[in-house]
Structure formats: structure tokens, C-alpha cells
Amino acid sequence: MASLESRLKEDLHDLHLEDGAQHRNPSEVKMSQIVLPCHANHCGELSVGQLLKWMDCTACLSAERHAGCPCVTASVDDIYFEHTIGVGQVVNIKAKVNRAFNSSMEVGIEVSCEDLYRGRHWRVCQAFATFVARRTDANKVQLKQVVPCTHQEQLEHSLAAERRRMRLVHHDTMQDLLNNKTFQRSCKNRDEDAAVPTERTRVESVELVLPPHANHQVNTFGGQIMAWMENVATIAASRLCNAHPTLRAIDMFHFRGPSQVGDRLILKAIVNNTFKNSMEVGVCAEAYIGEEPLRHINSAFMTFEVLDDKGRPRPLPLIKPEPKEGQRRYQEALARKKIRLDRKYIISCKQTEVPLSVPWDPSNQVYLSYNNVWALKMLAAKNNWDLISKKNRVSLYTVEESQSLCFKVEAEMEIPAQRAFTLLSDLSRRQEWDEHYTRCEPLVKVDEDDFIYRVITPSVSQGGKVQDFILLASRRPPCDSGDPYVIALRSVTLPTHPPTEGFNRGEVVCAGFTIYELSQGVSKISYYNQASPEVLPYISTDIAGLSSSFSSTFHSCSQYLMDNIISTPEFTSPTSS
């Protein structure tokens, strides 16, 4: 927890531009609510359903402020609830639009809790929601672009495009894992002698949508639907454990269709699977009016824990799924658990907490690619770079934070940004201009923009072993004008390519290029590297001012780009995964 004074200092820092002027995001909306007994459950804690309603309302108002027209909730990314909130405490919610696309936009939501009597505050959760603008007339909506002003806004604006990319492939990632034969063999049911039949946890409830449940467009609030879904999910979880469960996470979910005043909403919940100290509850919301067929509104998957007297998660009983549909839900819950852990571990961790070389497999490729691009953009966004040396218009910068030394080499080159991006993306040709690359072997084509290579580099000492690296290369073209081209590199582990005798297996924490188009034929190319022990010897004499090899390497890069500015051999594509 942090003091109220430190929190205010952080907020004020975010409100200032680089020149010191005060700034507030024009789409930012804030809500503060005192938690009353009517908002709480029988444990005196704020109902998560009520919190979801407040979050959805705040985010919707932010989206509409930016769009200038009505907006509806399309989806919400994973939400992890770090703390509960008690009666008498204050909930502070802040929402702002991070990035607008065509007719949709990402809204970032931050929730914190404040204890007025102790002057303390703490973070409760963070969420990213997607809203779609809907005009009342037939004209198609084309949203205005978000113009980021502060350092933090620029970072979130940049990362929003990568998060959108991850959302679009979420369903495919799930299906690929379910079709994986190795995963299917691991999904065999455990000992069912003492298992609880899932039928015992089944819940069904109906709600009539009234005007207070709807927004100003007469559509049912997405947050209200989620509150009703959370209610039946809690009942299902309670039936399994005969105790009050605590909601810890909600998986990424999408609203499949709208609901209006007058709808009858049927809410169904059942425990899909248990995992020692947690359980997944699946919830479905369907709507109808009169005798019309049911309309699928939303499905969500919620993770609950049951805490003991000391606040520690209790072991949970095994479940016995029903045949066919129950077995399908059981296996899908296992798949979601793996994906959930990959997302939380790879994406949510700070860069220093993620292992240098994470095992790569098709089920986590999306999240490793996201982490790869995210890490490079975080590194590039640092605003405390120190200029160490400059020679022949090539600049070397360093920054040291948390026992980590990072360096940046930067220069302007007379080459179109797109051509530079195409040439530098092909790591198999890097040895043509970088003396630190002896050979680069393409191993796996993950998709059109992500590849895995084995890089061999010279020994850093006389008579020592040569080094090799297994690198994931993720390349991203700009989403909007003003965005850079990005080529991100990080180490991964491939079971098919373990460390071998005669080579010292090195690790790359975070490295890569950003390429900005300054004019039609001029680009600013920046190379970044968070130096690991295996990488630092190659640059240490430059940082110490004892050599200027960084300048000669970048000039070799410039010459390589100029030699291939007109035509270039076809991109060397690794074999498909």
C-alpha cells in the first residue's frame, strides 16, 4: 500500500507534459463511490458485480466523450482482482481512451481503494475494455484518432495496437490448444471416487430488464449483465465448497449481441473444473421476449478461491463432469487455465520477473510475441537516456535502472522507413553488416510477422566458446501515421534445439529496432538492447569510451541498406510451425 501523499504525487506527475505544462486527457472520466452496506455482500465486502457496473459506466462515459456519440461494450480483457474492498472505504475509478481504431476504441480502466481514516490507498485491478461507437443515424462511424501527449499516454497508445492483435486471435489460440494431441492426453479425468458431481453446482436464474438496468440508449448496461452473471457464478461456486467464495479473476469475454429493456435474461452457471485451490465457473447469459428464440448475449469464465481463517486459499474437492457437454467444459477449463497462466505470467509480470528464456510452444506464442513487442516499446519509451558518445552522426545512449544497463544506438539514414523495415526484419542476412553475427539460421515461422532464429556469434574472449542464441523476432508495421516500425527480439527455449556442446548458450532479455519515417526518403533508426551478461562484452568498450565500434557497425548497416534500397532478395522464411 502507498500513502495518499505519494499517490497524489504520482497522479500529478502523469498530468504534466515534457515541458512541464499541466495536462488532462480529454477523454478521462473519474468516478468515486463510498461503499455502503447495500453495495456489499454478507462478509461486508463490495460485491464484484457492483464494482463491474461502476467500471462499465465509467468506461462507457469515457468512450462517449471521445466518440461524441453513443457507445456499447464489445469486450473486456482479463481482470485480476488483487484486493477486496470493505464497507466505508472509497472506490476510485479512472477511465480514458488509449487508442481509437475505425469504429472501436480501447478504454483503459484503473480501480483503486482509499481508506479515508488511515490515509491509505491501494490498487484493486486494471482492465482494458473495447467499446464500439453507434450512431443513431445510418452513417458509418469513423472515430477521430487519439493524440497522446504525456509519456504514459504515448506508451499506452503504442501498446493498445498489440493488445488488439492479441484479442483478435484469442479464439484461434484456444482452438489450437484443444486440438493439440499432447494436451488432449493430459486432460484425462482424475480419481472420481470422492468427486462432486457438477450437476450439484448448476444454477439458473431469470432477470427482467427494467429501465433502471439500461443506459440512455435503452440497451442493458454491460456492467449490469456482468453483475447478474457474477451473482449466479458465486452461487454455483458456493454449492461446491459450502462456503463463501472470493472472485479472483474474469477471463477475457465478448458481448455477442445487445439486450434491451423488456428482455428476459436467463443466466446459467456451473462449475467447469477445480484446480487444487481454485475453481472455474462458466456463466452464460441468454435473452428473449415473448416466444422468440433465445439470443446468446455473453459467456464468461470466472475463477474463484475459498479462503481459510488466515486468508489462505483452501483445497477444493474434485468434480465429476457430466458426459459429453460436461466433459467438453472440463477440458476447455484446463485449456483456459493454461492460457490464463501464460497471459498472466508472460504479460502481467514486470520485465525483470519474466525468465530470460521462456519455453516457446504454439499455445503461448501470442503472449510471448506480445511480451516481446511490449518490452521493446517500454525500453524505447524511457525518457532518461544519457548520451555517452557521438561519432559520424551515430549516437550511443545508455540508461541504468534496477541493476540493469540498457543501451541505444541511433542515427538518421537516407532510406524509406518501409524498405529499412523489410531489410532489417530478415535476420538471416544480418551477418552481411553486423560483425557480431557469424550465422543466423531460420528455425520456425510462427506466423507472417513472428519468426524464431538460431544466431551464432563470435567468442567474446580469446580461445573461448562461440555463443549461440535462440531468438524470437516479432516485426510490426505501424498502425497509424506517426507510429514506428518495430522489430523486437528476445530469447526463447525450443525443445528441438537444446544447448549443445561447443557453444555457450546466451540470452537476450530485450532488443530490437524502431524505425521512424522522418520524410519520404529519410528514417530515424534506433537499436535497443537491455544488456545481459552475454551481450555486454560486445558493447562495454564503447560504453567506456575506449572504442567506437558502434559507429562503424551502424555505418555498415547504412551501407547494407543503401546497397539494397532498390531491390532485395526474397525474404528468407523459416519453416512453418
Side-chain angles (χ1 to χ4, degrees):
M1 294 184 186
S3 68
L4 193 58
E5 183 180 359
S6 64
R7 176 192 170 213
L8 291 173
K9 287 181 179 178
E10 291 174 3
D11 287 347
L12 287 172
H13 176 74
D14 289 341
L15 291 174
H16 284 79
L17 304 175
E18 292 182 0
D19 60 3
Q22 193 168 3
H23 165 76
R24 177 168 178 173
N25 189 303
S27 70
E28 183 177 288
V29 173
K30 294 181 179 181
M31 176 188 286
S32 294
Q33 297 279 357
I34 294 180
V35 179
L36 302 175
C38 61
H39 301 139
N41 55 34
H42 65 280
C43 295
E45 298 170 350
L46 173 64
S47 161
V48 173
Q50 180 62 60
L51 177 59
L52 290 170
K53 286 199 288 185
W54 287 339
M55 290 170 64
D56 182 65
C57 179
T58 310
C60 183
L61 292 174
S62 173
E64 292 183 346
R65 177 176 283 185
H66 177 78
C69 64
C71 297
V72 295
T73 314
S75 68
V76 181
D77 292 359
D78 299 355
I79 306 176
Y80 297 96
F81 299 98
E82 301 173 19
H83 298 281
T84 57
I85 305 171
V87 171
Q89 294 174 336
V90 174
V91 180
N92 295 306
I93 305 173
K94 181 169 69 174
K96 59 184 176 65
V97 176
N98 291 330
R99 187 163 192 155
F101 300 97
N102 292 324
S103 60
S104 68
M105 68 204 94
E106 180 191 274
V107 180
I109 311 165
E110 296 177 4
V111 181
S112 63
C113 181
E114 184 178 348
D115 190 322
L116 297 173
Y117 303 102
R118 294 184 177 88
R120 310 282 288 180
H121 95 285
W122 54 94
R123 193 174 88 154
V124 175
C125 66
Q126 182 183 36
F128 297 100
T130 301
F131 283 80
V132 176
R134 296 275 180 87
R135 292 195 185 277
T136 53
D137 53 35
N139 295 329
K140 187 177 180 180
V141 177
Q142 181 64 48
L143 292 172
K144 62 184 178 184
Q145 293 301 306
V146 173
V147 180
C149 295
T150 67
H151 175 74
Q152 186 62 32
E153 287 178 2
Q154 291 167 356
L155 185 60
E156 290 296 346
H157 183 268
S158 180
L159 293 173
E162 196 65 19
R163 284 190 289 264
R164 181 174 187 253
R165 178 190 181 95
M166 188 170 60
R167 291 179 200 115
L168 295 176
V169 298
H170 174 65
H171 179 265
D172 293 339
T173 302
M174 179 76 173
Q175 293 305 311
D176 289 345
L177 182 57
L178 288 170
N179 294 331
N180 184 287
K181 293 183 178 179
T182 302
F183 175 78
Q184 290 173 357
R185 288 193 294 269
S186 70
C187 290
K188 293 180 180 180
N189 290 356
R190 299 159 290 185
D191 182 16
E192 297 180 352
D193 291 341
V196 177
T198 54
E199 184 62 28
R200 172 181 155 181
T201 69
R202 187 182 295 277
V203 180
E204 182 172 324
S205 182
V206 65
E207 297 283 352
L208 174 62
V209 180
L210 300 173
H213 303 138
N215 57 24
H216 47 289
Q217 307 164 51
V218 202
N219 289 327
T220 314
F221 268 120
Q224 178 63 69
I225 296 173
M226 289 305 301
W228 284 331
M229 296 175 76
E230 185 267 339
N231 177 60
V232 294
T234 301
I235 296 172
S238 300
R239 286 181 175 173
L240 176 73
C241 59
N242 298 319
H244 175 70
T246 299
L247 180 59
R248 288 302 190 199
I250 302 177
D251 278 18
M252 182 187 299
F253 60 87
H254 301 262
F255 285 93
R256 298 171 183 264
S259 167
Q260 292 88 25
V261 170
D263 276 349
R264 279 69 171 169
L265 243 61
I266 296 178
L267 304 139
K268 301 175 184 178
I270 192 170
V271 175
N272 290 332
N273 209 332
T274 57
F275 315 104
K276 189 178 179 180
N277 294 326
S278 65
M279 71 183 95
E280 181 194 275
V281 179
V283 197
C284 175
E286 298 173 311
Y288 74 96
I289 294 180
E291 297 180 355
E292 71 176 22
L294 290 174
R295 309 189 313 272
H296 188 185
I297 303 299
N298 189 11
S299 291
F301 303 96
M302 305 185 182
T303 302
F304 287 87
E305 292 178 348
V306 179
L307 306 180
D308 60 19
D309 295 337
K310 296 182 180 179
R312 297 174 301 192
R314 275 174 32 187
L316 296 174
L318 301 177
I319 65 161
K320 181 180 180 180
E322 302 166 283
K324 296 183 179 179
E325 278 300 299
Q327 187 65 36
R328 176 187 62 81
R329 291 194 298 266
Y330 182 94
Q331 292 183 350
E332 289 180 353
L334 289 170
R336 276 188 294 272
K337 182 191 178 187
K338 183 185 186 310
I339 292 173
R340 186 162 53 243
L341 290 175
D342 285 341
R343 279 204 299 260
K344 184 177 181 182
Y345 185 57
I346 296 173
I347 296 175
S348 302
C349 285
K350 295 178 181 177
Q351 186 63 16
T352 54
E353 296 172 352
V354 178
L356 293 184
S357 190
V358 177
W360 176 90
D361 65 62
S363 67
N364 71 4
Q365 66 185 38
V366 176
Y367 315 116
L368 275 174
S369 297
Y370 172 87
N371 178 267
N372 194 16
V373 176
W374 171 83
L376 180 62
K377 288 186 174 183
M378 289 287 287
L379 184 58
K382 292 182 182 294
N383 56 7
N384 54 342
W385 291 98
D386 293 322
L387 179 62
I388 299 298
S389 179
K390 186 171 184 178
K391 184 176 180 181
N392 298 328
R393 296 186 297 175
V394 180
S395 301
L396 173 65
Y397 300 84
T398 62
V399 61
E400 189 171 359
E401 290 180 351
S402 303
Q403 300 179 336
S404 171
L405 178 64
C406 307
F407 65 88
K408 172 176 72 169
V409 184
E410 188 171 83
E412 293 183 10
M413 299 185 187
E414 293 184 358
I415 183 171
Q418 185 175 7
R419 173 62 67 185
F421 174 67
T422 301
L423 292 168
L424 295 178
S425 294
D426 189 359
L427 259 65
S428 63
R429 299 188 64 193
R430 185 156 166 177
Q431 63 267 23
E432 295 182 31
W433 60 269
D434 190 346
E435 63 179 7
H436 299 135
Y437 273 51
T438 304
R439 191 165 75 252
C440 188
E441 305 168 359
L443 299 179
V444 179
K445 178 182 178 181
V446 179
D447 55 35
E448 292 302 319
D449 294 315
D450 297 271
F451 307 85
I452 298 178
Y453 297 88
R454 179 178 181 237
V455 175
I456 299 174
T457 64
S459 170
V460 294
S461 60
Q462 187 71 26
K465 288 184 178 181
V466 295
Q467 294 196 112
D468 70 342
F469 301 80
I470 304 297
L471 298 183
L472 171 65
S474 303
R475 57 179 193 168
R476 300 289 186 269
C479 286
D480 297 320
S481 59
D483 287 352
Y485 292 86
V486 173
I487 306 166
L489 306 171
R490 64 157 294 157
S491 284
V492 294
T493 299
L494 275 183
T496 54
H497 290 77
T500 55
E501 190 175 348
F503 290 90
N504 177 41
R505 176 58 54 86
E507 304 281 358
V508 171
V509 183
C510 171
F513 294 91
T514 63
I515 306 168
Y516 281 91
E517 184 177 45
L518 300 182
S519 63
Q520 189 172 2
V522 179
S523 304
K524 182 175 74 173
I525 300 177
S526 305
Y527 174 75
Y528 299 86
N529 200 308
Q530 183 176 334
S532 62
E534 295 85 4
V535 172
L536 190 58
Y538 296 111
I539 194 72
S540 57
T541 54
D542 291 301
I543 294 174
L546 302 177
S547 76
S548 56
S549 64
F550 72 93
S551 175
S552 60
T553 300
F554 241 54
H555 275 287
S556 296
C557 176
S558 176
Q559 188 61 50
Y560 162 76
L561 295 176
M562 294 303 297
D563 290 344
N564 294 276
I565 192 171
I566 303 299
S567 62
T568 180
E570 193 172 326
F571 185 82
T572 304
S573 174
T575 57
S576 180
S577 59

